[in-house]
Amino acid sequence: MGFMTTTLASTHPVETVHGHRVPTGLFIGGDWRTTDSTFTVLDPATTGHIADVSDAGAAEALAALDAAHAVRDEWRRVTPRARAGLFGEAYRLLRSRAEAFAAVMTAESGKPLAESRAEFNLSAEFFLWYTEQIAHLHGTYAPASHGGYRVVTTHQPVGPALLITPWNFPMLMIARKAGAALAAGCPVIVKSAKETPLTCALFVETLREAGFPAGVVNLVHTTSSSAVSAALMADPRLRKISFTGSTGVGSTLLAQAAPGILNASMELGGDGPFIVLEDADVELAAKQAVVCKFRNAGQACVAANRIIVHRAVAEEFTKRFVALTEQLRVGNGFDDGVDVGPIISARQLDGVSELVDTLRGLDSELLTGGNALPGDGFFFAPTVFRVNGRPTELCSRELFAPVATIYQVESTSEAIEFANDTRYGLAAYVFTRDLSRAVAVGERLDFGMVGINRGIMADPAAAFGGVKASGLGREGGHDAIYDYLEPKYLALTVDEEAGLA
Ligand code: NAD
């Protein structure tokens, strides 16, 4: 490889987070760089200071694009085996840092350590999945329809990619996007979420140590997301945007991508219906609903958003679900036995209180919770409402909070109709003991993913993503890498008689 290798500058700025050293600068062209302005990362469980990190503007973002663009040809020419070798080393290093990643994630996102460890494991598995795919991409060779030449197709990397990640799964989102992009041969510019930049920094530093060449991986943190992404997207050298976040921001980014016909992948919001039919294993459904709803304090795109229960089992389900919810222990994610951590920020906590006020004002019944918890952190009690009717205020509303809403239906067809009555189409869930019925219902749900008798389903082997306002493209599975590749067709003239005499 003719790349520059990267070395750690002696002035390399770091912060020690729960005993682990994490870079606090921007990573551009193989160097950790600082900026004059910084912003503070807070621990949502204590509101305490964790670190001050560099705050990029458009100039730093464009410097990252300069670096990515400069190496794009060299990076795509790295042989599959050599690229897979770098990935293998990175995977080994990632695994050796499992506890550092878990601690940093819990510190800045607040999620319980057990959830951070689970997220780390899933992230590492995604990375491994793409490692394994690198040497297994195929092209085609076929005769043209009427002979005379050959149709040869291969795939080429799209080019420099901007990866914008959210705070709720700080490691999974970067591992899933950067894994696919780098495996495909695209250099990347990662934009972290300002609430959780340190997990991204640790990830990028691990890739640097694994030997990823300068310019191939770049990282910017910023409080000016819109200025940074607008500058990058207006530059024709950027060839791809992959975004995970809210549907509103996704829609703005798609509009910004339009003038340059920029290749775009979008993982957006959800309104997950969680359907419990009358023949369901109610105990299993209640347990899975608790995980699906309260994991990450409800701040998940695939969370159960509307729990839709057949009248025949509504009473029993609700009783079990509320009892399990009341057993959840809320607290600092570093404490033993904690199930639910804090909400990410004061602003989000205010949003949860407003949501609960809205729910109280509807034809509904508060079954448990309903209030913020005293103390320094941003804690909210796990909350359950029974909601009567189909209030328009809740149509297509992503709750994104530790607040569950239970609705009752009279039939399977009503459940399907209500479930589909949303602008979103990310994840849905069905609980029934009848497999044929599960498949029939699953096929009628307008969602990209359907969990059958389970409330968690992310896996590297599965195509993760949504339809309708939940997004474009998939992450994971056999095809996700093609989101970062473009087919290239070579028409090969063949004189079929040449040289045969
Ligand atoms: P968000 O849209 O506010 O922010 C996501 C990212 O976009 C952050 O990095 C943020 O800094 C950046 N951003 C915000 N405004 C921007 C702009 N104008 N230009 C460029 N970048 C901008 O979302 P959030 O609150 O961080 O995350 C929650 C949302 O993400 C929820 O809607 C959730 O459903 C969704 N989400 C979806 C998936 C999925 O895979 N479908 C996964 C996780 C989260």
Side-chain angles (χ1 to χ4, degrees), residues 358-385:
T358 302
L359 280 158
R360 284 181 198 270
L362 300 173
D363 181 5
S364 69
E365 200 183 329
L366 176 63
L367 303 177
T368 189
N371 54 289
L373 298 174
D376 289 335
F378 309 126
F379 294 101
F380 203 92
T383 297
V384 183
F385 278 92

PDB file of all heavy atoms in Angstrom, residues 358-385:
ATOM      1  N   THR A 358     -49.769  15.085  27.760  1.00  0.00           N
ATOM      2  CA  THR A 358     -50.682  14.871  26.618  1.00  0.00           C
ATOM      3  C   THR A 358     -51.513  13.619  26.855  1.00  0.00           C
ATOM      4  O   THR A 358     -52.739  13.618  26.673  1.00  0.00           O
ATOM      5  CB  THR A 358     -49.868  14.713  25.306  1.00  0.00           C
ATOM      6  OG1 THR A 358     -49.076  15.868  25.131  1.00  0.00           O
ATOM      7  CG2 THR A 358     -50.776  14.505  24.106  1.00  0.00           C
ATOM      8  N   LEU A 359     -50.848  12.551  27.299  1.00  0.00           N
ATOM      9  CA  LEU A 359     -51.564  11.286  27.518  1.00  0.00           C
ATOM     10  C   LEU A 359     -52.599  11.417  28.628  1.00  0.00           C
ATOM     11  O   LEU A 359     -53.703  10.875  28.545  1.00  0.00           O
ATOM     12  CB  LEU A 359     -50.563  10.176  27.844  1.00  0.00           C
ATOM     13  CG  LEU A 359     -49.860   9.599  26.616  1.00  0.00           C
ATOM     14  CD1 LEU A 359     -48.547   8.931  26.989  1.00  0.00           C
ATOM     15  CD2 LEU A 359     -50.764   8.589  25.915  1.00  0.00           C
ATOM     16  N   ARG A 360     -52.251  12.152  29.672  1.00  0.00           N
ATOM     17  CA  ARG A 360     -53.209  12.357  30.780  1.00  0.00           C
ATOM     18  C   ARG A 360     -54.454  13.089  30.291  1.00  0.00           C
ATOM     19  O   ARG A 360     -55.542  12.882  30.806  1.00  0.00           O
ATOM     20  CB  ARG A 360     -52.573  13.187  31.894  1.00  0.00           C
ATOM     21  CG  ARG A 360     -51.586  12.452  32.778  1.00  0.00           C
ATOM     22  CD  ARG A 360     -51.081  13.454  33.830  1.00  0.00           C
ATOM     23  NE  ARG A 360     -49.859  13.040  34.462  1.00  0.00           N
ATOM     24  CZ  ARG A 360     -49.772  12.305  35.568  1.00  0.00           C
ATOM     25  NH1 ARG A 360     -50.875  11.875  36.155  1.00  0.00           N
ATOM     26  NH2 ARG A 360     -48.608  12.008  36.092  1.00  0.00           N
ATOM     27  N   GLY A 361     -54.265  13.980  29.302  1.00  0.00           N
ATOM     28  CA  GLY A 361     -55.386  14.788  28.799  1.00  0.00           C
ATOM     29  C   GLY A 361     -56.295  14.024  27.847  1.00  0.00           C
ATOM     30  O   GLY A 361     -57.314  14.551  27.412  1.00  0.00           O
ATOM     31  N   LEU A 362     -55.916  12.802  27.481  1.00  0.00           N
ATOM     32  CA  LEU A 362     -56.733  12.012  26.549  1.00  0.00           C
ATOM     33  C   LEU A 362     -57.654  11.074  27.320  1.00  0.00           C
ATOM     34  O   LEU A 362     -57.596  11.010  28.555  1.00  0.00           O
ATOM     35  CB  LEU A 362     -55.811  11.202  25.633  1.00  0.00           C
ATOM     36  CG  LEU A 362     -54.845  12.016  24.777  1.00  0.00           C
ATOM     37  CD1 LEU A 362     -53.875  11.091  24.062  1.00  0.00           C
ATOM     38  CD2 LEU A 362     -55.629  12.846  23.763  1.00  0.00           C
ATOM     39  N   ASP A 363     -58.457  10.297  26.590  1.00  0.00           N
ATOM     40  CA  ASP A 363     -59.291   9.285  27.239  1.00  0.00           C
ATOM     41  C   ASP A 363     -58.372   8.098  27.559  1.00  0.00           C
ATOM     42  O   ASP A 363     -58.208   7.174  26.760  1.00  0.00           O
ATOM     43  CB  ASP A 363     -60.413   8.876  26.274  1.00  0.00           C
ATOM     44  CG  ASP A 363     -61.331   7.837  26.904  1.00  0.00           C
ATOM     45  OD1 ASP A 363     -61.141   7.534  28.108  1.00  0.00           O
ATOM     46  OD2 ASP A 363     -62.216   7.322  26.195  1.00  0.00           O
ATOM     47  N   SER A 364     -57.736   8.176  28.735  1.00  0.00           N
ATOM     48  CA  SER A 364     -56.723   7.167  29.066  1.00  0.00           C
ATOM     49  C   SER A 364     -56.693   6.956  30.577  1.00  0.00           C
ATOM     50  O   SER A 364     -57.291   7.715  31.341  1.00  0.00           O
ATOM     51  CB  SER A 364     -55.356   7.639  28.614  1.00  0.00           C
ATOM     52  OG  SER A 364     -54.963   8.731  29.429  1.00  0.00           O
ATOM     53  N   GLU A 365     -55.954   5.938  30.972  1.00  0.00           N
ATOM     54  CA  GLU A 365     -55.840   5.623  32.398  1.00  0.00           C
ATOM     55  C   GLU A 365     -54.360   5.372  32.691  1.00  0.00           C
ATOM     56  O   GLU A 365     -53.719   4.545  32.023  1.00  0.00           O
ATOM     57  CB  GLU A 365     -56.618   4.325  32.616  1.00  0.00           C
ATOM     58  CG  GLU A 365     -57.034   4.051  34.025  1.00  0.00           C
ATOM     59  CD  GLU A 365     -57.741   2.686  34.057  1.00  0.00           C
ATOM     60  OE1 GLU A 365     -58.389   2.308  33.049  1.00  0.00           O
ATOM     61  OE2 GLU A 365     -57.602   2.002  35.061  1.00  0.00           O
ATOM     62  N   LEU A 366     -53.819   6.104  33.668  1.00  0.00           N
ATOM     63  CA  LEU A 366     -52.419   5.904  34.054  1.00  0.00           C
ATOM     64  C   LEU A 366     -52.354   4.689  34.979  1.00  0.00           C
ATOM     65  O   LEU A 366     -52.980   4.676  36.037  1.00  0.00           O
ATOM     66  CB  LEU A 366     -51.902   7.151  34.781  1.00  0.00           C
ATOM     67  CG  LEU A 366     -50.480   7.068  35.342  1.00  0.00           C
ATOM     68  CD1 LEU A 366     -49.446   6.888  34.238  1.00  0.00           C
ATOM     69  CD2 LEU A 366     -50.155   8.307  36.166  1.00  0.00           C
ATOM     70  N   LEU A 367     -51.591   3.666  34.577  1.00  0.00           N
ATOM     71  CA  LEU A 367     -51.558   2.426  35.364  1.00  0.00           C
ATOM     72  C   LEU A 367     -50.362   2.353  36.297  1.00  0.00           C
ATOM     73  O   LEU A 367     -50.403   1.705  37.334  1.00  0.00           O
ATOM     74  CB  LEU A 367     -51.575   1.205  34.430  1.00  0.00           C
ATOM     75  CG  LEU A 367     -52.772   1.135  33.471  1.00  0.00           C
ATOM     76  CD1 LEU A 367     -52.666  -0.068  32.552  1.00  0.00           C
ATOM     77  CD2 LEU A 367     -54.092   1.098  34.238  1.00  0.00           C
ATOM     78  N   THR A 368     -49.251   2.998  35.893  1.00  0.00           N
ATOM     79  CA  THR A 368     -48.091   3.086  36.795  1.00  0.00           C
ATOM     80  C   THR A 368     -47.164   4.177  36.295  1.00  0.00           C
ATOM     81  O   THR A 368     -47.188   4.542  35.123  1.00  0.00           O
ATOM     82  CB  THR A 368     -47.347   1.733  36.904  1.00  0.00           C
ATOM     83  OG1 THR A 368     -46.378   1.808  37.940  1.00  0.00           O
ATOM     84  CG2 THR A 368     -46.655   1.347  35.608  1.00  0.00           C
ATOM     85  N   GLY A 369     -46.316   4.705  37.202  1.00  0.00           N
ATOM     86  CA  GLY A 369     -45.333   5.733  36.825  1.00  0.00           C
ATOM     87  C   GLY A 369     -45.986   7.080  36.605  1.00  0.00           C
ATOM     88  O   GLY A 369     -46.911   7.454  37.322  1.00  0.00           O
ATOM     89  N   GLY A 370     -45.418   7.821  35.622  1.00  0.00           N
ATOM     90  CA  GLY A 370     -46.035   9.100  35.261  1.00  0.00           C
ATOM     91  C   GLY A 370     -45.265  10.323  35.714  1.00  0.00           C
ATOM     92  O   GLY A 370     -45.710  11.441  35.496  1.00  0.00           O
ATOM     93  N   ASN A 371     -44.100  10.121  36.343  1.00  0.00           N
ATOM     94  CA  ASN A 371     -43.398  11.291  36.865  1.00  0.00           C
ATOM     95  C   ASN A 371     -41.877  11.182  36.701  1.00  0.00           C
ATOM     96  O   ASN A 371     -41.317  10.088  36.682  1.00  0.00           O
ATOM     97  CB  ASN A 371     -43.710  11.451  38.356  1.00  0.00           C
ATOM     98  CG  ASN A 371     -43.395  10.171  39.114  1.00  0.00           C
ATOM     99  OD1 ASN A 371     -44.100   9.166  38.980  1.00  0.00           O
ATOM    100  ND2 ASN A 371     -42.316  10.193  39.882  1.00  0.00           N
ATOM    101  N   ALA A 372     -41.234  12.362  36.628  1.00  0.00           N
ATOM    102  CA  ALA A 372     -39.767  12.397  36.650  1.00  0.00           C
ATOM    103  C   ALA A 372     -39.328  12.042  38.061  1.00  0.00           C
ATOM    104  O   ALA A 372     -40.086  12.235  39.020  1.00  0.00           O
ATOM    105  CB  ALA A 372     -39.286  13.782  36.271  1.00  0.00           C
ATOM    106  N   LEU A 373     -38.107  11.502  38.186  1.00  0.00           N
ATOM    107  CA  LEU A 373     -37.646  11.080  39.515  1.00  0.00           C
ATOM    108  C   LEU A 373     -36.696  12.126  40.092  1.00  0.00           C
ATOM    109  O   LEU A 373     -35.928  12.750  39.346  1.00  0.00           O
ATOM    110  CB  LEU A 373     -36.961   9.715  39.412  1.00  0.00           C
ATOM    111  CG  LEU A 373     -37.893   8.592  38.928  1.00  0.00           C
ATOM    112  CD1 LEU A 373     -37.125   7.298  38.698  1.00  0.00           C
ATOM    113  CD2 LEU A 373     -39.019   8.361  39.935  1.00  0.00           C
ATOM    114  N   PRO A 374     -36.751  12.321  41.402  1.00  0.00           N
ATOM    115  CA  PRO A 374     -35.900  13.352  42.010  1.00  0.00           C
ATOM    116  C   PRO A 374     -34.413  12.977  41.901  1.00  0.00           C
ATOM    117  O   PRO A 374     -34.074  11.820  41.709  1.00  0.00           O
ATOM    118  CB  PRO A 374     -36.360  13.381  43.464  1.00  0.00           C
ATOM    119  CG  PRO A 374     -37.081  12.101  43.687  1.00  0.00           C
ATOM    120  CD  PRO A 374     -37.584  11.624  42.375  1.00  0.00           C
ATOM    121  N   GLY A 375     -33.537  13.965  42.035  1.00  0.00           N
ATOM    122  CA  GLY A 375     -32.095  13.710  41.952  1.00  0.00           C
ATOM    123  C   GLY A 375     -31.477  14.531  40.843  1.00  0.00           C
ATOM    124  O   GLY A 375     -32.175  15.257  40.141  1.00  0.00           O
ATOM    125  N   ASP A 376     -30.156  14.379  40.682  1.00  0.00           N
ATOM    126  CA  ASP A 376     -29.439  15.209  39.708  1.00  0.00           C
ATOM    127  C   ASP A 376     -29.630  14.754  38.269  1.00  0.00           C
ATOM    128  O   ASP A 376     -29.626  15.556  37.354  1.00  0.00           O
ATOM    129  CB  ASP A 376     -27.934  15.187  40.025  1.00  0.00           C
ATOM    130  CG  ASP A 376     -27.651  15.976  41.289  1.00  0.00           C
ATOM    131  OD1 ASP A 376     -28.460  16.865  41.606  1.00  0.00           O
ATOM    132  OD2 ASP A 376     -26.640  15.675  41.946  1.00  0.00           O
ATOM    133  N   GLY A 377     -29.754  13.454  38.059  1.00  0.00           N
ATOM    134  CA  GLY A 377     -29.811  12.943  36.674  1.00  0.00           C
ATOM    135  C   GLY A 377     -31.182  13.126  36.049  1.00  0.00           C
ATOM    136  O   GLY A 377     -32.123  13.617  36.683  1.00  0.00           O
ATOM    137  N   PHE A 378     -31.280  12.690  34.775  1.00  0.00           N
ATOM    138  CA  PHE A 378     -32.516  12.887  33.998  1.00  0.00           C
ATOM    139  C   PHE A 378     -33.368  11.615  34.029  1.00  0.00           C
ATOM    140  O   PHE A 378     -33.510  10.934  33.003  1.00  0.00           O
ATOM    141  CB  PHE A 378     -32.168  13.266  32.563  1.00  0.00           C
ATOM    142  CG  PHE A 378     -31.187  14.404  32.443  1.00  0.00           C
ATOM    143  CD1 PHE A 378     -30.025  14.267  31.692  1.00  0.00           C
ATOM    144  CD2 PHE A 378     -31.427  15.610  33.093  1.00  0.00           C
ATOM    145  CE1 PHE A 378     -29.124  15.313  31.581  1.00  0.00           C
ATOM    146  CE2 PHE A 378     -30.530  16.663  32.999  1.00  0.00           C
ATOM    147  CZ  PHE A 378     -29.369  16.507  32.238  1.00  0.00           C
ATOM    148  N   PHE A 379     -33.910  11.291  35.189  1.00  0.00           N
ATOM    149  CA  PHE A 379     -34.621  10.009  35.324  1.00  0.00           C
ATOM    150  C   PHE A 379     -36.136  10.186  35.258  1.00  0.00           C
ATOM    151  O   PHE A 379     -36.679  11.160  35.768  1.00  0.00           O
ATOM    152  CB  PHE A 379     -34.252   9.351  36.657  1.00  0.00           C
ATOM    153  CG  PHE A 379     -32.807   8.936  36.709  1.00  0.00           C
ATOM    154  CD1 PHE A 379     -31.867   9.700  37.387  1.00  0.00           C
ATOM    155  CD2 PHE A 379     -32.385   7.781  36.065  1.00  0.00           C
ATOM    156  CE1 PHE A 379     -30.535   9.315  37.419  1.00  0.00           C
ATOM    157  CE2 PHE A 379     -31.057   7.397  36.088  1.00  0.00           C
ATOM    158  CZ  PHE A 379     -30.127   8.165  36.776  1.00  0.00           C
ATOM    159  N   PHE A 380     -36.779   9.187  34.650  1.00  0.00           N
ATOM    160  CA  PHE A 380     -38.240   9.193  34.570  1.00  0.00           C
ATOM    161  C   PHE A 380     -38.736   7.795  34.921  1.00  0.00           C
ATOM    162  O   PHE A 380     -38.170   6.792  34.468  1.00  0.00           O
ATOM    163  CB  PHE A 380     -38.710   9.579  33.160  1.00  0.00           C
ATOM    164  CG  PHE A 380     -40.103  10.120  33.130  1.00  0.00           C
ATOM    165  CD1 PHE A 380     -40.340  11.487  33.241  1.00  0.00           C
ATOM    166  CD2 PHE A 380     -41.202   9.266  33.038  1.00  0.00           C
ATOM    167  CE1 PHE A 380     -41.634  12.004  33.244  1.00  0.00           C
ATOM    168  CE2 PHE A 380     -42.493   9.774  33.038  1.00  0.00           C
ATOM    169  CZ  PHE A 380     -42.717  11.143  33.140  1.00  0.00           C
ATOM    170  N   ALA A 381     -39.780   7.722  35.720  1.00  0.00           N
ATOM    171  CA  ALA A 381     -40.308   6.415  36.129  1.00  0.00           C
ATOM    172  C   ALA A 381     -40.909   5.686  34.928  1.00  0.00           C
ATOM    173  O   ALA A 381     -41.644   6.289  34.140  1.00  0.00           O
ATOM    174  CB  ALA A 381     -41.392   6.624  37.186  1.00  0.00           C
ATOM    175  N   PRO A 382     -40.619   4.375  34.770  1.00  0.00           N
ATOM    176  CA  PRO A 382     -41.279   3.602  33.712  1.00  0.00           C
ATOM    177  C   PRO A 382     -42.794   3.728  33.865  1.00  0.00           C
ATOM    178  O   PRO A 382     -43.333   3.536  34.962  1.00  0.00           O
ATOM    179  CB  PRO A 382     -40.802   2.171  33.960  1.00  0.00           C
ATOM    180  CG  PRO A 382     -39.484   2.337  34.641  1.00  0.00           C
ATOM    181  CD  PRO A 382     -39.647   3.560  35.518  1.00  0.00           C
ATOM    182  N   THR A 383     -43.447   4.073  32.775  1.00  0.00           N
ATOM    183  CA  THR A 383     -44.841   4.515  32.831  1.00  0.00           C
ATOM    184  C   THR A 383     -45.702   3.689  31.878  1.00  0.00           C
ATOM    185  O   THR A 383     -45.261   3.354  30.782  1.00  0.00           O
ATOM    186  CB  THR A 383     -44.883   6.014  32.430  1.00  0.00           C
ATOM    187  OG1 THR A 383     -44.142   6.739  33.404  1.00  0.00           O
ATOM    188  CG2 THR A 383     -46.294   6.554  32.318  1.00  0.00           C
ATOM    189  N   VAL A 384     -46.920   3.378  32.337  1.00  0.00           N
ATOM    190  CA  VAL A 384     -47.841   2.633  31.465  1.00  0.00           C
ATOM    191  C   VAL A 384     -49.207   3.330  31.461  1.00  0.00           C
ATOM    192  O   VAL A 384     -49.749   3.638  32.530  1.00  0.00           O
ATOM    193  CB  VAL A 384     -48.027   1.172  31.942  1.00  0.00           C
ATOM    194  CG1 VAL A 384     -48.945   0.407  30.972  1.00  0.00           C
ATOM    195  CG2 VAL A 384     -46.691   0.447  32.096  1.00  0.00           C
ATOM    196  N   PHE A 385     -49.729   3.564  30.268  1.00  0.00           N
ATOM    197  CA  PHE A 385     -51.079   4.081  30.102  1.00  0.00           C
ATOM    198  C   PHE A 385     -51.924   3.067  29.349  1.00  0.00           C
ATOM    199  O   PHE A 385     -51.431   2.425  28.410  1.00  0.00           O
ATOM    200  CB  PHE A 385     -51.074   5.358  29.243  1.00  0.00           C
ATOM    201  CG  PHE A 385     -50.731   6.612  29.981  1.00  0.00           C
ATOM    202  CD1 PHE A 385     -49.412   7.045  30.040  1.00  0.00           C
ATOM    203  CD2 PHE A 385     -51.707   7.368  30.593  1.00  0.00           C
ATOM    204  CE1 PHE A 385     -49.080   8.220  30.707  1.00  0.00           C
ATOM    205  CE2 PHE A 385     -51.394   8.544  31.263  1.00  0.00           C
ATOM    206  CZ  PHE A 385     -50.073   8.975  31.324  1.00  0.00           C
TER     207      PHE A 385
END
